[in-house]
Amino acid sequence: MPYKVLVTEDSSQIREMVGDYFTAKAQDVFTLDFAHSGEAALEKLYENEYDLVLLDIMLPGASGFEICKRLRSESATPIIFITALGSEEDILHGYELGADDYIVKPFSLAALYAKCLAVVKRAKGMVLTQSKAVCGGIELDPVKMTVTVEGKQAELAPKEYFLLKLLMDNKESVLSREKIITKVWGYDFDGDERVVDNHIKKLRRALGRQSKRVKTVFGGGYKLTEK
């Protein structure tokens, strides 16, 4: 079954280019829906489920950042920003909101296609483990994609969830920032390693007293421990 993608872009030329390229590349891999504004995107997201969302930032109505924040509050659907805003501040903000990738215009259609395929495959693969993971007072259910801390459900954004899952899958092992980025953001991530530190801070806040289990290893990275 093809992956269903929502392309939110106010430029009709870019929408047409992306649609034509993806269709010509392989009709049975992706099926695309299009939205020309923030309001149209939110309406489609309310009515449909997607495997991937491509988001411009400077949209009429609601910005891509706003849409990403709202989508992340209730869904782990992968998000890739495609935008002319290429400053480090904008890129880091996009990742902090929970984006899976960030592409600056002008871009290669071939690279976009490859990134889309990598992101959806990675997202599908991260929920294959069926058994619950436990570390101290933290319990992660990979089927329901929920986390409970001392018996109470914790509110984690998708990136913090996948970060915690990676740490729990490698409990007591030190994971470098580079390895975390490769596993959670993907091989083609071209941002700063500081994005890991920012998400670790958010994860620790969500874990409350159990945050003591997320250890910083000087010169090494991070690990999750029972102690």
Side-chain angles (χ1 to χ4, degrees):
M1 180 180 296
Y3 297 118
K4 192 171 182 179
V5 182
L6 175 62
V7 182
T8 303
E9 168 62 59
D10 61 343
S11 166
S12 59
Q13 181 180 15
I14 292 178
R15 292 198 305 271
E16 184 176 349
M17 286 170 53
V18 171
D20 289 348
Y21 185 88
F22 277 51
T23 300
K25 185 73 175 176
Q27 294 187 24
D28 59 343
V29 176
F30 293 106
T31 171
L32 306 184
D33 274 356
F34 297 92
H36 67 282
S37 68
E39 293 99 329
L42 290 171
E43 184 176 340
K44 285 184 176 290
L45 288 167
Y46 179 76
E47 296 175 346
N48 305 278
E49 290 194 6
Y50 294 96
D51 297 299
L52 173 66
V53 176
L54 303 183
L55 269 179
D56 190 7
I57 293 175
M58 295 182 291
L59 292 165
S63 75
F65 284 149
E66 293 175 58
I67 295 169
C68 181
K69 187 175 181 179
R70 291 178 64 172
L71 184 57
R72 276 292 166 265
S73 68
E74 56 190 41
S75 171
T77 302
I79 296 170
I80 298 178
F81 280 118
I82 304 176
T83 176
L85 300 180
S87 72
E88 182 181 48
E89 182 180 359
D90 287 321
I91 293 171
L92 288 175
H93 184 51
Y95 282 116
E96 287 167 1
L97 287 175
D100 295 84
D101 211 331
Y102 195 109
I103 298 173
V104 178
K105 299 174 182 177
F107 57 89
S108 159
L109 287 167
L112 172 63
Y113 184 91
K115 284 175 179 285
C116 288
L117 197 55
V119 166
V120 291
K121 285 185 174 180
R122 185 166 69 243
K124 297 297 181 184
M126 296 203 76
V127 295
L128 293 179
T129 302
Q130 299 298 309
S131 59
K132 293 181 180 179
V134 178
C135 181
I138 307 168
E139 182 177 286
L140 183 148
D141 186 332
V143 177
K144 297 180 180 178
M145 293 184 68
T146 59
V147 174
T148 56
V149 179
E150 298 178 353
K152 297 182 179 179
Q153 186 163 328
E155 297 299 326
L156 268 66
K159 273 291 183 285
E160 282 79 69
Y161 168 84
F162 290 129
L163 176 55
L164 176 62
K165 185 177 187 304
L166 178 65
L167 291 168
M168 295 190 83
D169 287 345
N170 296 272
K171 191 165 53 177
E172 306 297 345
S173 298
V174 179
L175 299 178
S176 67
R177 290 171 178 81
E178 181 181 3
K179 184 170 184 178
I180 291 172
I181 285 176
T182 297
K183 294 294 185 179
V184 178
W185 279 267
Y187 288 97
D188 50 3
F189 174 80
D190 57 2
D192 195 288
E193 287 188 351
R194 289 179 299 169
V195 71
V196 175
D197 301 328
N198 291 334
H199 283 278
I200 287 287
K201 289 178 183 176
K202 292 180 181 180
L203 175 60
R204 283 173 168 157
R205 283 199 297 269
L207 295 178
R209 293 188 303 177
Q210 293 295 317
S211 63
K212 63 185 180 183
R213 304 190 184 283
V214 182
K215 308 290 187 182
T216 302
V217 181
F218 183 74
Y222 296 98
K223 72 174 180 178
L224 190 71
T225 177
E226 292 279 3
K227 298 179 181 179

